[in-house]
Amino acid sequence: TVSFEVPISDIQQMWTPDLMQPFQDRKWWVTKESAPQYDMPYLAFFDMAERNRFSFGSESLEWDNRIESKIDQEKGVYRVKLTVAAGPKGKLKPFKVTFDRRPVAWTRALADWRESLGYPKGKYPEAAWRPVYCSWYAVHAAVTQDWTERTAAIAADLGFGTFILDDGWSYDEAKRVNPTTIKGWYRDIGQWDAFSKAKFPDFKAHRERMRRLGLNYIVWVAPYFVGTRSAAYRRWGSGNGAKVVEGNTLTDIANAAQMESVTEQLVRLLKGADLDGLKIDFLDSIDSSVEHPLGARKHAYVTDLMNRLRAVRPDGVFEFRQAYATPINANLATQFRAGDVPFEWLANLMRIAQIRLTMGDGVPVHADPIYWSDTETDDNVDRHFMAAMAGVPMLSMDLEKMAPARRATVRAWLDYYTRRVEKFQRGGKWEVAYRNGGLAYVLSRLGDETLAIVNDADAFAKAAGTFDVKRAVVFNLAFDELELPNGVRLGPAKACPAQDAGGPVL
């Protein structure tokens, strides 16, 4: 344990890695767990001007950590304690805890700490930067071979580069998510090396037809999930004393035979189905705990799994979700996706910004799949895409049922991303700015060009004097008019594609 006190002086906000935005009020008691597949041990206190007052982070990312912050009203301090536990597979080695009291932007303090950890970035393939179509929100577990091929053909024509076949491919039941079906949803999960014959009667021919479309083809897996109706459950039962939730329990990470069985199935799936990669979900489902630490064991398992998958597909694409989008995993996956936010473009932007803060530049950050209701306004559909441009855009709408005008909108945005925005993703230097506890803007600088996605028009207008507006692409998500330094006025939900008349017409 490491314990210390922080005087409550000119502190109005705080941030931990699981927050999409800073806390703007004084939390009397905050407890945050972390492990290699869940967040990281870091806490920041700062003022209303977003200036760091006191930040600290531990380089003990490979183990289970707990940060506790409690207000001592009598002394006028935060009493903070960091607890670190290595667990049976980890040997607690000396580690550094960094305390930062510099009066810099708290995001700068975070970036400096993140870089000091020294974790290597991965080798990210070309496919990791291409727009993605995902089946999940569009159809949930009602996927079929024919639907997949018809939808993939439309997706390829619109400009997508990757097709994710999400949950539903491995079992026969076809269902959509609603308050009734969610009960027992994962009960058939747990066998990873065979596609449902009812849904994919001729997978070999299906795979060849998908290949001809030119899309990278990846499928969803959850290595720790064991559905109560699965063969895996009959063989292994419930691991680690895990409870059954929604018809699902978890593997026993300490059972080497069970975990080897899961790894072998995933390797067979990747190789036997000739897939281009996997969407690897719910690695955060086994809780972190300093009382019963499993973090080091989990990290060893995931590292071995990814090494063996890469041995099959060295140029494959492997998606990790937001909870484990942290520096220690930067070289394990090829892309890191924002957490689930159907219908919500602003929440998508906030999650993308969060991953940028925790991962740094040069990492493929993917938006959660864009999904809107059929009654959504044109302006808000555009906002969905503007927000997604802070990362690699992903969509999960039923393309067959989409109106021609909306398909044209999708095509225009994907074309604009490919021609103008993608280069900022690969090589840009990203900045994330907050104001009064809310996300103000996200921008990327590349040479003398700037890409900006704006949520707070006033905050961005003040910052816009630091770059050449004529060499900027600006997306105004705000509901206020944005006036740029050169006198250009940009209305709500409008784009300013500087020096590019071929951008989306909004």
Side-chain angles (χ1 to χ4, degrees):
T1 62
V2 180
S3 301
F4 52 92
E5 295 179 350
V6 180
I8 303 176
S9 175
D10 197 24
I11 290 174
Q12 192 59 46
Q13 302 181 78
M14 66 183 299
W15 180 87
T16 59
D18 62 330
L19 292 179
M20 297 307 110
Q21 298 190 104
F23 278 135
Q24 227 185 326
D25 57 340
R26 302 187 194 280
K27 296 296 179 183
W28 285 75
W29 189 316
V30 173
T31 301
K32 297 296 180 183
E33 310 278 353
S34 69
Q37 277 79 56
Y38 184 73
D39 290 335
M40 56 189 188
Y42 190 87
L43 177 65
F45 297 104
F46 44 99
D47 64 18
M48 288 304 293
E50 311 297 329
R51 285 188 299 265
N52 176 55
R53 295 291 294 154
F54 187 94
S55 301
F56 85 97
S58 171
E59 64 180 11
S60 54
L61 274 70
E62 65 184 285
W63 304 311
D64 289 83
N65 294 265
R66 176 183 296 143
I67 293 175
E68 298 169 273
S69 173
K70 304 175 184 179
I71 285 182
D72 184 327
Q73 187 177 6
E74 179 183 8
K75 296 182 66 176
V77 299
Y78 287 104
R79 297 173 60 186
V80 184
K81 181 168 73 171
L82 165 70
T83 305
V84 184
K89 278 288 185 179
K91 184 178 180 181
L92 197 63
K93 304 181 294 289
F95 60 93
K96 180 173 67 177
V97 179
T98 299
F99 301 90
D100 192 339
R101 303 180 73 166
R102 296 174 299 161
V104 299
W106 69 269
T107 52
R108 163 71 184 282
L110 170 60
D112 289 345
W113 171 79
R114 182 192 64 229
E115 294 304 311
S116 75
L117 297 173
Y119 287 111
K121 299 289 177 67
K123 295 181 179 179
Y124 306 121
E126 182 75 18
W129 306 101
R130 304 293 295 131
V132 178
Y133 179 85
C134 177
S135 67
W136 176 242
Y137 297 139
V139 72
H140 295 134
V143 291
T144 65
Q145 180 174 300
D146 290 343
W147 180 90
T148 299
E149 291 176 19
R150 294 194 307 269
T151 302
I154 300 171
D157 179 66
L158 291 175
F160 290 97
T162 294
F163 188 99
I164 296 178
L165 180 64
D166 215 291
D167 183 20
W169 59 268
S170 65
Y171 52 87
D172 294 345
E173 184 180 10
K175 53 187 176 181
R176 295 298 306 269
V177 171
N178 61 52
T180 300
T181 61
I182 197 64
K183 299 174 182 177
W185 183 269
Y186 293 110
R187 58 194 176 190
D188 295 310
I189 288 295
Q191 191 68 29
W192 301 112
D193 53 1
F195 282 73
S196 163
K197 287 289 187 180
K199 293 176 178 177
F200 294 86
D202 188 353
F203 186 84
K204 185 176 181 180
H206 162 73
R207 180 66 186 100
E208 185 56 36
R209 288 190 289 268
M210 290 289 286
R211 190 188 320 283
R212 289 199 292 267
L213 294 173
L215 294 166
N216 290 283
Y217 192 23
I218 75 175
V219 302
W220 173 92
V221 295
Y224 295 154
F225 277 15
V226 183
T228 54
R229 292 201 314 198
S230 70
Y233 185 76
R234 291 191 294 273
R235 180 180 180 186
W236 304 106
S238 177
N240 302 315
K243 297 179 181 179
V244 174
V245 180
E246 310 299 0
N248 178 61
T249 185
L250 303 173
T251 60
D252 181 355
I253 194 70
N255 186 330
Q258 183 180 15
M259 301 316 300
E260 177 62 19
S261 173
V262 174
T263 297
E264 289 177 350
Q265 289 180 54
L266 294 174
V267 169
R268 283 197 299 270
L269 170 67
L270 185 65
K271 188 174 182 179
D274 196 19
L275 299 171
D276 297 303
L278 299 173
K279 171 180 176 175
I280 303 175
D281 215 350
F282 293 107
L283 293 181
D284 55 334
S285 56
I286 298 177
D287 291 340
S288 57
S289 168
V290 295
E291 286 78 22
H292 306 285
L294 296 169
R297 193 190 297 270
K298 288 186 292 181
H299 188 59
Y301 172 74
V302 173
T303 301
D304 177 69
L305 171 65
M306 297 312 301
N307 286 339
R308 290 165 67 175
L309 293 174
R310 287 183 186 279
V312 176
R313 288 285 181 274
D315 59 346
V317 286
F318 300 97
E319 180 194 282
F320 279 10
R321 193 154 51 94
Q322 179 154 6
Y324 35 104
T326 57
I328 196 171
N329 296 316
N331 68 337
L332 296 183
T334 62
Q335 53 232 51
F336 299 85
R337 176 184 58 86
D340 295 18
V341 283
F343 305 107
E344 299 184 61
W345 50 265
L346 182 54
N348 211 352
L349 177 63
M350 291 190 294
R351 283 159 172 76
I352 295 168
Q354 184 87 342
I355 298 175
R356 296 215 171 277
L357 290 176
T358 57
M359 297 297 284
D361 298 331
V363 177
V365 177
H366 286 213
D368 188 56
I370 296 170
Y371 182 80
W372 62 78
S373 70
D374 292 337
T375 58
E376 189 56 275
T377 66
D378 290 342
D379 277 357
N380 281 341
V381 169
D382 285 325
R383 284 187 172 96
H384 273 290
F385 280 98
M386 290 179 181
M389 293 293 158
V392 177
M394 190 183 302
L395 182 76
S396 186
M397 298 291 295
D398 191 329
L399 298 179
E400 290 188 291
K401 296 178 181 178
M402 185 178 288
R406 286 281 165 88
R407 281 198 198 179
T409 297
V410 173
R411 186 190 304 276
W413 278 110
L414 296 187
D415 177 66
Y416 193 61
Y417 169 83
T418 301
R419 288 188 297 105
R420 290 301 309 274
V421 176
E422 184 180 350
K423 64 180 181 180
F424 290 103
Q425 300 291 338
R426 295 172 181 261
K429 182 174 178 57
W430 286 89
E431 299 175 26
V432 179
Y434 295 87
R435 183 186 186 189
N436 296 331
L439 182 64
Y441 57 85
V442 176
L443 63 80
S444 176
R445 300 175 192 263
L446 183 61
D448 62 350
E449 292 188 274
T450 302
L451 165 73
I453 299 97
V454 180
N455 184 50
D456 185 322
D458 290 339
F460 180 74
K462 295 177 181 178
T466 63
F467 58 83
D468 183 358
V469 176
K470 294 180 180 179
R471 300 286 293 169
V473 176
V474 181
F475 300 123
N476 185 16
L477 291 177
F479 285 82
D480 299 313
E481 184 179 68
L482 172 61
E483 184 174 356
L484 299 174
N486 61 353
V488 171
R489 293 179 178 272
L490 198 58
K494 300 302 178 183
C496 180
Q499 299 188 346
D500 187 355
V505 179
L506 307 178

